[in-house]
Amino acid sequence: TYNTFEDKTELTKAVDVSDILNSGKYTVAVNGGYGTNTIDCSYLVEKKSQQLKGNVTIGSYPNIDFDIFLADGKVDAYTSLVSNYLFEYDSKKTNTGYIMQSMPQSEIDEFNYSLQQLGNSGNLKDTDAGKLTEALLEDFRDLKFEKVDAKEITIDDKSRLCAGYVTYIDTNTMKKFVDDMKNNTYKGADVDYDFDELYEAIDDMSDIYLTVYIYKNKLASINVKSNKYSNDAELIFHGGKARWQNLEILADGKSVCQLVGSNNGSEESYEVKSDGYTACSLTYDNKTGNIAFSADEVAMTGTIKKSKNEFSFTLDNLYGINGTVTISKGAKVVKPMAENTFDLGNASEDDIQNMAMDAVS
């Protein structure tokens, strides 16, 4: 699977920003507008802190500045609407103020957990998401595969003999995946209830045979079949510039959906088709960076630019929306400042009313 999706076309090379994001220190800048509404903001990430700051114009509210800083589970927020206050909330402190008293404890706990996870998002391995990824990979490694007869599959317009391997996935195996998901996510009451429903759904499922066919160390086909019924589903990798560039989904041996990819000089094109109908299409020119997408009544055009340390996408027009998103290496996170500090977690009702009066006066 890794080898298959490690294959790159010019388009996937152009949109690959993994090096930038994996650096743990990067900036996402957004500049755009819709009619008279505008936005100019930056999201900055360091390994232990984040910041979202910028300026928006919404209707009759011009030039609203905002600055939100997050580090170690603590938020500091500033807005020009209340320019003399810096609003603070520390998820690791005891918060007993008026706002906290009006919220269910389960919601407060979930909010605190989210802040603490977000604070480490620049270093994914320090988050539950990173731990979950490792746990699920271990579960996959525990699957036992046995060799089956080779199968002829069309790849790169030629019939190829592909080696086959099958594994049996029973409900206990599925529950092990869910166990790891549960153990590496927030453990609030509502979340636990959702997992109970998932366990019940697995009990109603049948065991499955997962058969994988390989050609030259890349995927050729993935077949899923129930142990109770004759129905099966299959994903075939027909190849192209990359093994995944042309895909086909079969249900009980009948083709139901295809991803058709092709190259013509510098232009790379894709279509998603079903029963002869093109649901959507995309084209990219690696010389000009021009990209176009269409689906039913939706049409979008733009331009992609890519360098070693920066990626940018400029949207020409989508329902009147236009702008540019830039992702670049490097970030300088700076905590905002203001004349007064307002502790949202421990402010009394009088404190809130006085602050509101001060803001409008």
mmCIF file of all heavy atoms in Angstrom, residues 16 25 50 54 69 81 84 91-92 109-110 159 168 230 233 237 250 262-263 277 284 287 329 331 333:
data_model
loop_
_atom_site.group_PDB
_atom_site.id
_atom_site.type_symbol
_atom_site.label_atom_id
_atom_site.label_comp_id
_atom_site.label_asym_id
_atom_site.label_seq_id
_atom_site.Cartn_x
_atom_site.Cartn_y
_atom_site.Cartn_z
ATOM 1 N N ASP A 16 1.707 18.060 -2.719
ATOM 2 C CA ASP A 16 2.307 17.393 -1.565
ATOM 3 C C ASP A 16 2.999 18.421 -0.663
ATOM 4 O O ASP A 16 4.039 18.970 -1.014
ATOM 5 C CB ASP A 16 3.313 16.335 -2.031
ATOM 6 C CG ASP A 16 3.902 15.541 -0.870
ATOM 7 O OD1 ASP A 16 3.488 15.774 0.292
ATOM 8 O OD2 ASP A 16 4.775 14.690 -1.109
ATOM 9 N N LYS A 25 6.891 23.383 12.053
ATOM 10 C CA LYS A 25 6.940 24.838 12.169
ATOM 11 C C LYS A 25 6.583 25.420 10.809
ATOM 12 O O LYS A 25 7.406 25.436 9.891
ATOM 13 C CB LYS A 25 8.322 25.301 12.622
ATOM 14 C CG LYS A 25 8.386 26.747 13.092
ATOM 15 C CD LYS A 25 9.756 27.057 13.687
ATOM 16 C CE LYS A 25 9.801 28.466 14.244
ATOM 17 N NZ LYS A 25 11.115 28.771 14.857
ATOM 18 N N GLN A 50 0.451 27.579 18.951
ATOM 19 C CA GLN A 50 -0.207 27.931 17.704
ATOM 20 C C GLN A 50 -0.791 29.334 17.819
ATOM 21 O O GLN A 50 -1.032 29.822 18.925
ATOM 22 C CB GLN A 50 -1.355 26.963 17.409
ATOM 23 C CG GLN A 50 -0.932 25.534 17.203
ATOM 24 C CD GLN A 50 -2.147 24.647 17.080
ATOM 25 O OE1 GLN A 50 -2.892 24.732 16.119
ATOM 26 N NE2 GLN A 50 -2.367 23.797 18.070
ATOM 27 N N GLY A 54 -5.378 37.860 12.244
ATOM 28 C CA GLY A 54 -5.652 38.486 10.965
ATOM 29 C C GLY A 54 -6.698 39.567 11.063
ATOM 30 O O GLY A 54 -6.943 40.138 12.128
ATOM 31 N N PHE A 69 -4.039 32.963 20.530
ATOM 32 C CA PHE A 69 -2.776 32.277 20.837
ATOM 33 C C PHE A 69 -3.073 31.073 21.733
ATOM 34 O O PHE A 69 -3.836 31.174 22.691
ATOM 35 C CB PHE A 69 -1.833 33.258 21.541
ATOM 36 C CG PHE A 69 -0.565 32.645 22.070
ATOM 37 C CD1 PHE A 69 0.544 32.501 21.255
ATOM 38 C CD2 PHE A 69 -0.478 32.231 23.397
ATOM 39 C CE1 PHE A 69 1.723 31.948 21.746
ATOM 40 C CE2 PHE A 69 0.691 31.674 23.893
ATOM 41 C CZ PHE A 69 1.790 31.548 23.073
ATOM 42 N N LEU A 81 -12.624 44.618 18.488
ATOM 43 C CA LEU A 81 -13.958 44.995 18.939
ATOM 44 C C LEU A 81 -13.962 45.359 20.422
ATOM 45 O O LEU A 81 -14.787 46.160 20.876
ATOM 46 C CB LEU A 81 -14.938 43.843 18.691
ATOM 47 C CG LEU A 81 -15.223 43.503 17.225
ATOM 48 C CD1 LEU A 81 -16.074 42.248 17.133
ATOM 49 C CD2 LEU A 81 -15.923 44.678 16.534
ATOM 50 N N ASN A 84 -9.239 46.880 24.544
ATOM 51 C CA ASN A 84 -8.470 47.045 25.781
ATOM 52 C C ASN A 84 -8.467 45.782 26.646
ATOM 53 O O ASN A 84 -8.042 45.821 27.794
ATOM 54 C CB ASN A 84 -9.003 48.232 26.589
ATOM 55 C CG ASN A 84 -10.484 48.088 26.905
ATOM 56 O OD1 ASN A 84 -11.207 47.448 26.155
ATOM 57 N ND2 ASN A 84 -10.921 48.700 27.997
ATOM 58 N N SER A 91 -7.027 25.807 30.493
ATOM 59 C CA SER A 91 -7.722 24.532 30.676
ATOM 60 C C SER A 91 -7.149 23.696 31.815
ATOM 61 O O SER A 91 -7.796 22.761 32.283
ATOM 62 C CB SER A 91 -7.665 23.717 29.382
ATOM 63 O OG SER A 91 -6.320 23.355 29.067
ATOM 64 N N LYS A 92 -5.945 24.025 32.272
ATOM 65 C CA LYS A 92 -5.313 23.237 33.331
ATOM 66 C C LYS A 92 -5.580 23.814 34.724
ATOM 67 O O LYS A 92 -5.195 23.211 35.727
ATOM 68 C CB LYS A 92 -3.810 23.139 33.079
ATOM 69 C CG LYS A 92 -3.471 22.335 31.823
ATOM 70 C CD LYS A 92 -1.968 22.156 31.653
ATOM 71 C CE LYS A 92 -1.672 21.277 30.454
ATOM 72 N NZ LYS A 92 -0.211 21.056 30.270
ATOM 73 N N ASP A 109 -15.031 19.430 30.156
ATOM 74 C CA ASP A 109 -13.947 18.442 30.092
ATOM 75 C C ASP A 109 -13.524 18.204 28.640
ATOM 76 O O ASP A 109 -12.322 18.126 28.346
ATOM 77 C CB ASP A 109 -14.391 17.122 30.727
ATOM 78 C CG ASP A 109 -14.575 17.232 32.231
ATOM 79 O OD1 ASP A 109 -14.037 18.190 32.823
ATOM 80 O OD2 ASP A 109 -15.253 16.364 32.809
ATOM 81 N N GLU A 110 -14.500 18.100 27.748
ATOM 82 C CA GLU A 110 -14.179 17.857 26.339
ATOM 83 C C GLU A 110 -13.461 19.065 25.728
ATOM 84 O O GLU A 110 -12.527 18.911 24.941
ATOM 85 C CB GLU A 110 -15.453 17.537 25.563
ATOM 86 C CG GLU A 110 -15.196 17.126 24.131
ATOM 87 C CD GLU A 110 -16.429 16.576 23.444
ATOM 88 O OE1 GLU A 110 -17.471 16.431 24.117
ATOM 89 O OE2 GLU A 110 -16.342 16.293 22.236
ATOM 90 N N SER A 159 -2.449 -7.594 -19.512
ATOM 91 C CA SER A 159 -2.853 -8.590 -18.533
ATOM 92 C C SER A 159 -1.621 -9.032 -17.742
ATOM 93 O O SER A 159 -0.620 -9.475 -18.321
ATOM 94 C CB SER A 159 -3.483 -9.794 -19.234
ATOM 95 O OG SER A 159 -3.922 -10.738 -18.285
ATOM 96 N N TYR A 168 -8.231 -13.416 7.190
ATOM 97 C CA TYR A 168 -9.593 -13.548 7.712
ATOM 98 C C TYR A 168 -9.757 -12.558 8.863
ATOM 99 O O TYR A 168 -8.981 -12.577 9.824
ATOM 100 C CB TYR A 168 -9.811 -14.975 8.213
ATOM 101 C CG TYR A 168 -11.225 -15.299 8.619
ATOM 102 C CD1 TYR A 168 -12.231 -15.409 7.678
ATOM 103 C CD2 TYR A 168 -11.561 -15.508 9.964
ATOM 104 C CE1 TYR A 168 -13.537 -15.728 8.040
ATOM 105 C CE2 TYR A 168 -12.854 -15.825 10.337
ATOM 106 C CZ TYR A 168 -13.841 -15.936 9.372
ATOM 107 O OH TYR A 168 -15.118 -16.249 9.731
ATOM 108 N N SER A 230 -22.539 -14.530 -0.604
ATOM 109 C CA SER A 230 -21.721 -14.682 -1.815
ATOM 110 C C SER A 230 -21.275 -13.331 -2.366
ATOM 111 O O SER A 230 -20.418 -13.274 -3.240
ATOM 112 C CB SER A 230 -22.510 -15.442 -2.883
ATOM 113 O OG SER A 230 -23.707 -14.744 -3.217
ATOM 114 N N ALA A 233 -16.963 -7.206 -2.990
ATOM 115 C CA ALA A 233 -16.606 -5.901 -3.557
ATOM 116 C C ALA A 233 -15.119 -5.900 -3.839
ATOM 117 O O ALA A 233 -14.328 -6.511 -3.093
ATOM 118 C CB ALA A 233 -16.974 -4.778 -2.594
ATOM 119 N N PHE A 237 -6.598 -1.663 -9.241
ATOM 120 C CA PHE A 237 -5.636 -0.608 -9.557
ATOM 121 C C PHE A 237 -5.108 -0.873 -10.970
ATOM 122 O O PHE A 237 -4.254 -1.736 -11.176
ATOM 123 C CB PHE A 237 -4.488 -0.612 -8.545
ATOM 124 C CG PHE A 237 -4.920 -0.306 -7.135
ATOM 125 C CD1 PHE A 237 -5.562 -1.270 -6.356
ATOM 126 C CD2 PHE A 237 -4.678 0.935 -6.580
ATOM 127 C CE1 PHE A 237 -5.950 -0.996 -5.062
ATOM 128 C CE2 PHE A 237 -5.068 1.220 -5.281
ATOM 129 C CZ PHE A 237 -5.711 0.254 -4.526
ATOM 130 N N LEU A 250 -15.737 -2.714 -8.321
ATOM 131 C CA LEU A 250 -16.660 -3.741 -8.766
ATOM 132 C C LEU A 250 -17.512 -4.211 -7.595
ATOM 133 O O LEU A 250 -17.017 -4.333 -6.468
ATOM 134 C CB LEU A 250 -15.921 -4.949 -9.347
ATOM 135 C CG LEU A 250 -15.413 -4.872 -10.790
ATOM 136 C CD1 LEU A 250 -14.319 -3.828 -10.930
ATOM 137 C CD2 LEU A 250 -14.901 -6.229 -11.234
ATOM 138 N N SER A 262 -5.407 10.234 -17.158
ATOM 139 C CA SER A 262 -4.623 10.212 -18.391
ATOM 140 C C SER A 262 -3.669 11.389 -18.431
ATOM 141 O O SER A 262 -3.829 12.361 -17.683
ATOM 142 C CB SER A 262 -5.546 10.246 -19.620
ATOM 143 O OG SER A 262 -6.313 11.439 -19.623
ATOM 144 N N ASN A 263 -2.679 11.300 -19.310
ATOM 145 C CA ASN A 263 -1.695 12.366 -19.493
ATOM 146 C C ASN A 263 -1.569 12.691 -20.970
ATOM 147 O O ASN A 263 -1.531 11.800 -21.819
ATOM 148 C CB ASN A 263 -0.332 11.945 -18.942
ATOM 149 C CG ASN A 263 -0.345 11.771 -17.447
ATOM 150 O OD1 ASN A 263 -0.771 10.728 -16.939
ATOM 151 N ND2 ASN A 263 0.115 12.777 -16.728
ATOM 152 N N TYR A 277 -21.657 7.819 -17.092
ATOM 153 C CA TYR A 277 -21.874 9.227 -16.747
ATOM 154 C C TYR A 277 -20.658 9.779 -16.014
ATOM 155 O O TYR A 277 -20.145 9.143 -15.087
ATOM 156 C CB TYR A 277 -23.121 9.360 -15.875
ATOM 157 C CG TYR A 277 -23.310 10.726 -15.253
ATOM 158 C CD1 TYR A 277 -23.726 11.808 -16.015
ATOM 159 C CD2 TYR A 277 -23.064 10.923 -13.888
ATOM 160 C CE1 TYR A 277 -23.893 13.063 -15.441
ATOM 161 C CE2 TYR A 277 -23.239 12.167 -13.311
ATOM 162 C CZ TYR A 277 -23.654 13.241 -14.093
ATOM 163 O OH TYR A 277 -23.818 14.461 -13.522
ATOM 164 N N TYR A 284 -5.035 19.368 -14.822
ATOM 165 C CA TYR A 284 -3.917 20.133 -14.267
ATOM 166 C C TYR A 284 -2.814 20.205 -15.312
ATOM 167 O O TYR A 284 -2.455 19.185 -15.927
ATOM 168 C CB TYR A 284 -3.403 19.464 -12.997
ATOM 169 C CG TYR A 284 -2.099 20.049 -12.484
ATOM 170 C CD1 TYR A 284 -2.043 21.328 -11.951
ATOM 171 C CD2 TYR A 284 -0.911 19.314 -12.548
ATOM 172 C CE1 TYR A 284 -0.844 21.875 -11.503
ATOM 173 C CE2 TYR A 284 0.287 19.840 -12.092
ATOM 174 C CZ TYR A 284 0.316 21.122 -11.572
ATOM 175 O OH TYR A 284 1.501 21.660 -11.121
ATOM 176 N N LYS A 287 3.000 22.772 -16.451
ATOM 177 C CA LYS A 287 3.841 23.872 -16.923
ATOM 178 C C LYS A 287 3.306 25.221 -16.453
ATOM 179 O O LYS A 287 4.065 26.083 -16.012
ATOM 180 C CB LYS A 287 3.948 23.847 -18.453
ATOM 181 C CG LYS A 287 4.862 22.756 -18.989
ATOM 182 C CD LYS A 287 5.072 22.906 -20.487
ATOM 183 C CE LYS A 287 6.080 21.873 -20.998
ATOM 184 N NZ LYS A 287 6.291 21.986 -22.469
ATOM 185 N N LYS A 329 7.081 26.997 5.064
ATOM 186 C CA LYS A 329 7.888 26.609 6.222
ATOM 187 C C LYS A 329 8.220 27.829 7.067
ATOM 188 O O LYS A 329 8.415 28.919 6.550
ATOM 189 C CB LYS A 329 9.183 25.921 5.779
ATOM 190 C CG LYS A 329 9.010 24.488 5.327
ATOM 191 C CD LYS A 329 10.348 23.825 5.057
ATOM 192 C CE LYS A 329 10.177 22.381 4.647
ATOM 193 N NZ LYS A 329 11.481 21.713 4.383
ATOM 194 N N ALA A 331 7.585 29.759 11.170
ATOM 195 C CA ALA A 331 6.531 30.486 11.871
ATOM 196 C C ALA A 331 7.134 31.227 13.047
ATOM 197 O O ALA A 331 8.094 30.752 13.664
ATOM 198 C CB ALA A 331 5.445 29.531 12.360
ATOM 199 N N VAL A 333 5.511 32.644 16.353
ATOM 200 C CA VAL A 333 4.331 32.796 17.189
ATOM 201 C C VAL A 333 4.636 33.775 18.322
ATOM 202 O O VAL A 333 5.610 33.606 19.051
ATOM 203 C CB VAL A 333 3.901 31.434 17.771
ATOM 204 C CG1 VAL A 333 2.723 31.592 18.709
ATOM 205 C CG2 VAL A 333 3.552 30.466 16.641
#
